[in-house]
Amino acid sequence: MGQTNDPVIMTINGQDVTRSEFEYSYNKNNTEGVIDKKSVKDYIPLFVDYKLKVDAAKAARLDTLSSFKKEFLGYRDQQVRPSFITDADVEAEAQKIYRQTQHRIDSMGGLVKPAHILFMARQRDSQEKWDEAQRRADSVYSVLQKGGDFAKLAEQYSQDPSSAKNGGELGWLQKGALVKEFEDVAFAMKKGEVSKPVKTPFGYHIIKVLDKSAFFPYDSLKNDIHRFIEQRGLRQMIINNKLDSLAKANPGTKPEDFVDKRLAEMELKDPNLKYLVQEYHDGLLLYEISNRNVWNKAANDEAGLVEYFKKHKKNYKWDAPRFKGIAYHVKNQADVERVKDAVKNLPFDKWAEVLRKTFNSDSVQIRVEKGIFKMGDNALVDRDVFKKDTTVKTNPKYPIDAVYGQVMKAPKEMDDVRGLVVADYQEQLEKEWVDGLRKKATIKINDDVVATVNKH
């Protein structure tokens, strides 16, 4: 795309940003329905900060990390690799699978469609059990020799419930599907023949061959084979084979080179794809650099959090008192005091562990809800601490309810409002970080181009 069609909207640290790139980001993040929809003017500082953070990640060489490369290339491949496979490639693989299967099955004797009547006896069973199974099999076989209906006799006498309801039918089978003793007889028989009782590890079978055939025609299996290709992920194998062939036909190249080349070709045709892939690339870097400089840093800087809380304690006043403690439920009255004694001299963050070890290590003797409760958070606290007229649902297994802790008008320590402090501290760290990046950056905004965003 030429300069006149896609002018530079800004330059950040010597890197030009085109109008189309900015428009892609702006339009994606400011669609109709977005709660905090920004004007183009208001979005520019956010976009600049985004670019500065990504530059910082690159300067820190985060894009050289093996974890980054693996995740990004995995995403890139999802966008590009499917373009290397066609319906014809999948059909050729399906035909190949069919021919291999056909050859294997037909070389082993094709397919047989047997039915059987089973008189069950297991190897661990007594000789008497086996003798009884043989006697019953011989008896039914005699009826068959006199013209008995095989399907009806299977329904009546077979001890294989799944096939008995279908007249003993087992469906089409290839060699290897059943035990050898059964298959040796079934594959040797002709269509319509009925065997004498055959002994296998499962008992005695009377076998009837309903049909015999070579392997099924391709068209009857085509949909199943295509489904098999999808389920087994064989598309990726086909793509790998094509890329390997391309690399072998072009000495000095690697399969990845062709993926890179195809991506460049696709991006020329579809600029949105280019920005989509770049967005994912930069997003991974942004996440990692933000994690290091803001999120993890704030969460793990205990001293910094405490100091931040002390300086900004007035920001965390409550609009109403809170109860810091436990609402608990026990089986007997004596445990009410035992719970209090177990925790009364311990830091609040140790209570849960001590109560679990003391009362619930082997079996659950008490039920406990621990926290900093405001009115409406817990019915028992509402009733017994805030003296609200409310109903507490009693657990029959733990019928005695109690509370223990203290009412506070305002948070006394950082842990009382940790979540809020962490969020605010993160916000401060990010502001300090971005301010530092901006002080070192060279930023030029072309206002005349800004005025044309989404208007050309």
Side-chain angles (χ1 to χ4, degrees):
M1 188 175 291
Q3 175 69 16
T4 54
N5 292 329
D6 196 12
V8 172
I9 193 170
M10 65 184 71
T11 304
I12 302 173
N13 290 334
Q15 297 295 315
D16 290 341
V17 178
T18 61
R19 181 177 60 191
S20 63
E21 179 183 351
F22 177 83
E23 283 180 336
Y24 173 86
S25 180
Y26 174 76
N27 293 333
K28 184 169 184 178
N29 290 288
N30 292 277
T31 57
E32 292 299 327
V34 171
I35 295 174
D36 188 21
K37 187 176 180 179
K38 303 291 186 184
S39 66
V40 171
K41 181 179 178 181
D42 290 338
Y43 188 71
I44 284 176
L46 300 177
F47 184 82
V48 169
D49 291 346
Y50 168 77
K51 283 292 190 179
L52 290 175
K53 292 174 185 176
V54 173
D55 282 351
K58 292 177 180 176
R61 296 180 56 79
L62 298 186
D63 54 347
T64 66
L65 295 175
S66 58
S67 57
F68 167 82
K69 290 180 178 179
K70 181 179 179 181
E71 186 162 356
F72 172 66
L73 291 178
Y75 178 79
R76 180 207 64 176
D77 286 353
Q78 289 177 16
Q79 309 306 312
V80 181
R81 282 172 59 91
S83 69
F84 285 95
I85 192 170
T86 65
D87 290 344
D89 294 326
V90 177
E91 176 62 18
E93 182 64 22
Q95 294 272 3
K96 177 183 173 184
I97 291 172
Y98 173 79
R99 290 192 300 272
Q100 291 174 340
T101 307
Q102 179 188 41
H103 175 74
R104 176 172 55 81
I105 289 177
D106 286 350
S107 66
M108 294 192 310
L111 300 168
V112 65
K113 186 178 184 182
H116 78 148
I117 304 172
L118 172 64
F119 304 90
M120 190 176 292
R122 302 288 187 176
Q123 290 178 311
R124 62 178 179 271
D125 289 339
S126 64
Q127 186 59 46
E128 289 77 12
K129 173 78 172 179
W130 279 91
D131 291 344
E132 173 62 15
Q134 184 176 19
R135 184 191 66 75
R136 295 180 64 228
D138 289 341
S139 177
V140 172
Y141 180 67
S142 295
V143 175
L144 287 167
Q145 285 186 306
K146 296 174 183 176
D149 186 299
F150 190 96
K152 289 183 178 179
L153 290 168
E155 290 177 15
Q156 186 175 359
Y157 294 108
S158 180
Q159 292 177 290
D160 175 9
S162 60
S163 67
K165 62 186 177 183
N166 296 317
E169 289 191 24
L170 295 173
W172 286 102
L173 302 173
Q174 64 187 64
K175 279 192 175 177
L178 296 175
V179 292
K180 185 176 185 300
E181 296 88 342
F182 187 103
E183 289 182 351
D184 286 346
V185 174
F187 276 88
M189 294 166 62
K190 296 178 181 178
K191 179 179 177 180
E193 284 187 334
V194 175
S195 74
K196 294 180 179 179
V198 178
K199 184 179 181 182
T200 78
F202 299 99
Y204 285 90
H205 310 250
I206 301 173
I207 304 169
K208 181 176 181 179
V209 171
L210 303 177
D211 204 353
K212 301 187 80 172
S213 175
F215 193 49
F216 304 118
Y218 174 74
D219 286 345
S220 68
L221 298 173
K222 179 178 178 178
N223 291 339
D224 291 333
I225 298 174
H226 277 260
R227 190 158 43 246
F228 172 83
I229 288 172
E230 299 300 329
Q231 291 173 346
R232 294 298 180 92
L234 296 184
R235 278 180 171 267
Q236 296 305 316
M237 181 200 72
I238 298 170
I239 294 170
N240 287 340
N241 290 340
K242 290 191 76 171
L243 290 171
D244 287 342
S245 296
L246 286 170
K248 289 176 181 177
N250 295 270
T253 63
K254 297 179 293 185
E256 293 80 8
D257 297 334
F258 293 95
V259 179
D260 291 336
K261 182 181 178 183
R262 179 63 58 84
L263 175 60
E265 293 169 352
M266 293 170 67
E267 288 177 343
L268 280 175
K269 295 178 181 177
D270 181 7
N272 280 344
L273 174 63
K274 173 184 177 181
Y275 297 135
L276 178 67
V277 174
Q278 180 179 320
E279 179 183 36
Y280 193 84
H281 176 277
D282 293 351
L284 290 175
L285 293 176
L286 179 64
Y287 176 85
E288 184 61 33
I289 194 76
S290 298
N291 211 27
R292 295 184 179 199
N293 288 0
V294 179
W295 306 327
N296 272 354
K297 185 175 180 180
N300 296 325
D301 183 7
E302 199 67 18
L305 289 169
V306 172
E307 185 63 26
Y308 184 89
F309 173 72
K310 288 179 180 178
K311 287 183 178 179
H312 303 86
K313 196 171 182 179
K314 64 181 185 298
N315 295 340
Y316 301 103
K317 291 180 180 179
W318 291 325
D319 56 358
R322 302 286 197 271
F323 173 68
K324 182 179 181 179
I326 53 174
Y328 61 104
H329 318 273
V330 298
K331 295 181 178 181
N332 56 74
Q333 191 64 43
D335 281 341
V336 172
E337 294 303 319
R338 287 184 63 215
V339 168
K340 295 178 183 179
D341 291 341
V343 301
K344 63 183 179 182
N345 295 318
L346 296 175
F348 189 60
D349 62 353
K350 301 294 183 185
W351 286 18
E353 180 184 0
V354 169
L355 291 175
R356 180 184 60 79
K357 289 182 178 179
T358 305
F359 296 95
N360 294 344
S361 59
D362 296 324
S363 60
V364 180
Q365 299 299 313
I366 64 171
R367 294 284 187 184
V368 182
E369 295 96 45
K370 171 181 173 287
I372 298 177
F373 303 91
K374 65 179 184 296
M375 179 81 77
D377 284 347
N378 183 284
L380 179 57
V381 171
D382 287 351
R383 187 190 72 184
D384 290 5
V385 176
F386 297 124
K387 306 306 178 184
K388 182 180 178 182
D389 184 13
T390 188
T391 301
V392 177
K393 187 176 180 181
T394 301
N395 186 331
K397 292 183 179 180
Y398 307 90
I400 302 171
D401 304 318
V403 295
Y404 180 68
Q406 62 176 317
V407 175
M408 302 189 302
K409 292 183 178 180
K412 294 182 177 179
E413 55 189 15
M414 189 272 294
D415 269 343
D416 296 339
V417 283
R418 175 179 283 272
L420 294 173
V421 175
V422 169
D424 291 345
Y425 189 42
Q426 286 175 341
E427 187 175 334
Q428 175 180 289
L429 289 176
E430 178 157 11
K431 184 178 184 306
E432 292 172 351
W433 176 40
V434 172
D435 287 347
L437 293 175
R438 278 184 168 268
K439 284 180 181 178
K440 296 184 292 184
T442 55
I443 304 166
K444 179 185 177 184
I445 308 296
N446 298 323
D447 293 327
D448 56 331
V449 179
V450 171
T452 67
V453 169
N454 291 333
K455 297 177 182 177
H456 52 92

